[in-house]
Amino acid sequence: MRHFRILVAANGISAYGSYLNLVALNVFVYHLTESAFLAGLFMAVRLLTSVASGFVSGALVSRVDRKRLMIGADLSQATALVAMLLAPESVDLAALFGLALIAGTCSTLSQVALRSSIPEIVGAEHRAKANASLVTARSLAMIAGFASSGVVVSQWGYTAAFVLDAITFTVSALVLSLLPIRTRAEEAAPEESGPAESTGKPRWAALVLLRSMPLVALMIAVRAADGLGSSSHNVALPVYSAGLDPSDPAVFISQFWATWALGNIAAQVVLERYVKKAGRTPGERVFALGACVMSLMFILVFSGLPTPLAVAVALLAGMADGLTEIAYVSRLQTTPDEQRGRLFGLSASAENAGFGLGMLVSAALLERFTPFQVVAAFHGSAILLCAGLLVLLVRRGAGQRHGAADSAVPGPAAARGPDGKPRTAEAAPRPAPEGGRPLRASRSTAASGAAAPPDGRGPDSERT
């Protein structure tokens, strides 16, 4: 785990740069173009690229060394940032949209490669703890990135923000290149035969895989619904905060995200105790229940609660969000190595598609409805889907227990021995003491319940 802790630190540094970049770039696009349409288009291009990249990433991490993919993704983003800074003013806008394409592609590729590699890096038995560490690091990076972006830009300008971002990606790539980690199962060595079509694999291998794993497919659908819900509270939060305190709406936003991140961190503590007590990682039921609680808590945050109580609810939302993330990723990591990359690629596409679509729809709905109504509608839909998954899991568990009970039920009364205990099979014939024919207990002995002598003979046991 020592090498993995270093990897977590490097990933946290890279994530900090990503969140800093997310804020600085969006503001910079608007500052450069003075067009809300182009600023929105920039975000849309980045999101759409992330969705498309999920399908490509799943195939790539199944065939190419994942460590090299993660290093290449970090270096590509660092290079794109430097190229944008050095580009002439006449091509600034083109360079920005090129950066959006590279950032959307590489961030998804890096995430899919890392998640697929966890069982090989730390061992399958430690994957839940490893996922919890990654969730904690990214939560801290998000808070630090969002909080420092305004300070960096206001004090040192956009160039300093982009240079700092490029440095974080470079540091992450350097650390990865030096770590002696294995990211692929030995039996799933990278293929050298070229594209999937040339190896005989179906063109839509990921979708075929989902058809064979309906429960996992339903979990991915729940994650897409969670993406819709997350987009609604992200869009509604500034509107709701402005209604609470028009003079300083950023106060509630900062309290909300800081408390949410603390909840994510607390989820790791809860998870460690759960694993130690139960002796297993959280599974599908924890995922479904956690997703229900998470969406319910987000709805309550926008229900008009007093600020201290709303912040406390945000803490519970963060805990449920963290547990759901860990349970979900850990479940997908139980699949064989050669399938894992495609599942995580599909998952990334589903989550990003849900989030992107939700951003557009919820922004339009907020023109006519209150933040509570929009958030309740989006997260309410996620709750219904999660509740359906939970009912399915409970019924499946009951069916398995019922089937196990049926297999343990003894046969009819005639199959019971004289002591009333079930007889599973007729006693095997024993060889005769002197090499004669095998001897059996006679019918009269079995019927009367008399015990056979030690040599297996009964009063009429020998048959001629």
Side-chain angles (χ1 to χ4, degrees):
M1 290 289 288
R2 181 172 62 89
H3 291 149
F4 181 74
R5 293 189 187 98
I6 299 174
L7 175 60
V8 169
N11 185 256
I13 292 172
S14 174
Y16 165 75
S18 296
Y19 288 116
L20 173 67
N21 183 25
L22 184 65
V23 176
L25 267 178
N26 289 338
V27 177
F28 179 66
V29 172
Y30 183 76
H31 171 77
L32 181 68
T33 63
E34 297 184 352
S35 169
F37 171 77
L38 288 176
L41 183 61
F42 177 84
M43 294 181 63
V45 168
R46 186 167 179 169
L47 275 171
L48 289 174
T49 306
S50 298
V51 173
S53 177
F55 295 99
V56 179
S57 299
L60 277 176
V61 301
S62 298
R63 300 200 303 272
V64 183
D65 183 77
R66 293 164 186 163
K67 180 179 174 181
R68 292 181 181 178
L69 286 174
M70 288 186 282
I71 294 172
D74 283 339
L75 290 179
S76 296
Q77 293 184 82
T79 303
L81 283 163
V82 173
M84 186 197 68
L85 290 173
L86 298 177
E89 292 185 5
S90 58
V91 295
D92 270 353
L93 190 58
L96 276 171
F97 279 94
L99 179 61
L101 290 170
I102 293 174
T105 300
C106 292
S107 61
T108 301
L109 176 60
S110 181
Q111 180 191 56
V112 172
L114 179 58
R115 286 180 169 184
S116 303
S117 305
I118 296 300
E120 314 309 327
I121 297 174
V122 302
E125 68 277 11
H126 299 302
R127 67 184 187 279
K129 184 176 181 180
N131 292 324
S133 299
L134 285 172
V135 168
T136 299
R138 291 193 71 85
S139 299
L140 292 173
M142 185 192 73
I143 295 301
F146 284 168
S148 64
S149 59
V151 176
V152 172
V153 171
S154 62
Q155 295 293 323
W156 298 290
Y158 295 105
T159 300
F162 299 148
V163 169
L164 179 58
D165 191 13
I167 291 173
T168 63
F169 285 122
T170 305
V171 169
S172 176
L174 180 61
V175 172
L176 273 170
S177 65
L178 296 176
L179 284 178
I181 56 174
R182 187 185 73 184
T183 59
R184 182 180 300 278
E186 292 180 357
E187 63 275 12
E191 299 170 2
E192 302 293 342
S193 53
E197 290 80 6
S198 63
T199 61
K201 293 183 180 179
R203 189 177 186 88
W204 302 104
L207 298 180
V208 173
L209 181 61
L210 277 186
R211 290 185 61 184
S212 67
M213 306 173 69
L215 181 58
V216 172
L218 186 55
M219 292 177 70
I220 291 177
V222 169
R223 290 293 288 184
D226 283 345
L228 282 168
S230 296
S231 66
S232 69
H233 68 247
N234 273 275
V235 175
L237 189 58
V239 180
Y240 184 73
S241 301
L244 292 177
D245 187 358
S247 62
D248 196 357
V251 172
F252 182 76
I253 296 177
S254 335
Q255 292 174 338
F256 175 87
W257 286 120
T259 311
W260 174 87
L262 288 175
N264 263 240
I265 297 170
Q268 182 179 355
V269 178
V270 173
L271 175 76
E272 288 182 357
R273 293 183 178 180
Y274 172 84
V275 172
K276 186 178 295 185
K277 182 178 180 180
R280 63 179 184 272
T281 57
E284 294 95 340
R285 290 193 184 185
V286 173
F287 166 74
L289 185 59
C292 285
V293 173
M294 174 187 66
S295 290
L296 179 61
M297 293 301 105
F298 278 126
I299 293 173
L300 290 177
V301 167
F302 292 85
S303 64
L305 296 173
T307 298
L309 188 55
V311 170
V313 171
L315 177 70
L316 295 177
M319 292 184 65
D321 200 354
L323 286 174
T324 301
E325 171 80 9
I326 295 165
Y328 174 73
V329 174
S330 299
R331 171 62 183 87
L332 263 61
Q333 287 168 348
T334 61
T335 56
D337 184 75
E338 63 272 13
Q339 300 175 348
R340 202 180 301 142
R342 295 185 182 276
L343 285 179
F344 275 114
L346 273 176
S347 174
S349 292
E351 293 175 54
N352 289 326
F355 188 81
L357 178 63
M359 291 280 284
L360 295 174
V361 177
S362 56
L365 291 176
L366 282 170
E367 296 291 333
R368 298 185 58 187
F369 301 97
T370 65
F372 174 75
Q373 291 172 326
V374 173
V375 173
F378 279 71
H379 275 294
S381 300
I383 289 175
L384 289 176
L385 189 56
C386 294
L389 174 59
L390 191 59
V391 169
L392 177 64
L393 291 170
V394 171
R395 292 183 63 180
R396 191 183 69 159
Q400 289 175 345
R401 289 193 299 270
H402 182 67
D406 285 346
S407 64
V409 173
R416 293 180 179 272
D419 57 356
K421 294 181 179 180
R423 180 178 294 160
T424 57
E426 184 181 6
R430 296 185 180 184
E434 299 179 358
R437 294 183 177 182
L439 303 179
R440 294 178 182 269
S442 69
R443 295 176 185 175
S444 59
T445 302
S448 63
D455 61 356
R457 296 173 182 265
D460 301 313
S461 62
E462 193 166 1
R463 301 172 68 180
T464 57

